[in-house]
Amino acid sequence: MHIMRFRLSISADQYQRYYSGTAKFVQVITDDGRSLKFPASNLQPFITHEGIHGHFEMRFDNHHKIIDMRRIG
């Protein structure tokens, strides 16, 4: 299993692009400097009226498939 951690700060207005389907993927730089691209649909559980903000952890299996994602701060 592999773990990547990253910070996100997406306003509610910015998230509208993902929700409407204009943007299907989110790309971030992880805490250790790697680039990570994942489906925007993984963010749905974390949406608030203010958008999506926080420190997150994403776990992957040995085939690089997403197992889960959680907010860690």
Side-chain angles (χ1 to χ4, degrees):
M1 178 173 39
H2 306 281
I3 297 173
M4 297 178 105
R5 293 183 178 99
F6 55 91
R7 296 188 183 280
L8 270 181
S9 185
I10 299 174
S11 71
D13 289 338
Q14 289 172 313
Y15 187 74
Q16 274 300 103
R17 293 185 336 164
Y18 298 108
Y19 184 76
S20 68
T22 306
K24 295 185 186 288
F25 293 92
V26 175
Q27 187 163 357
V28 298
I29 301 298
T30 63
D31 292 354
D32 62 359
R34 294 182 282 176
S35 179
L36 172 62
K37 184 177 178 181
F38 59 91
S41 60
N42 287 88
L43 297 175
Q44 286 181 342
F46 307 103
I47 300 168
T48 68
H49 290 299
E50 291 81 33
I52 303 167
H53 304 279
H55 196 207
F56 296 87
E57 176 179 277
M58 190 174 278
R59 295 186 313 149
F60 301 87
D61 67 16
N62 290 332
H63 301 288
H64 306 289
K65 291 189 125 188
I66 298 170
I67 297 171
D68 62 12
M69 179 176 165
R70 66 185 183 115
R71 186 188 322 263
I72 57 174

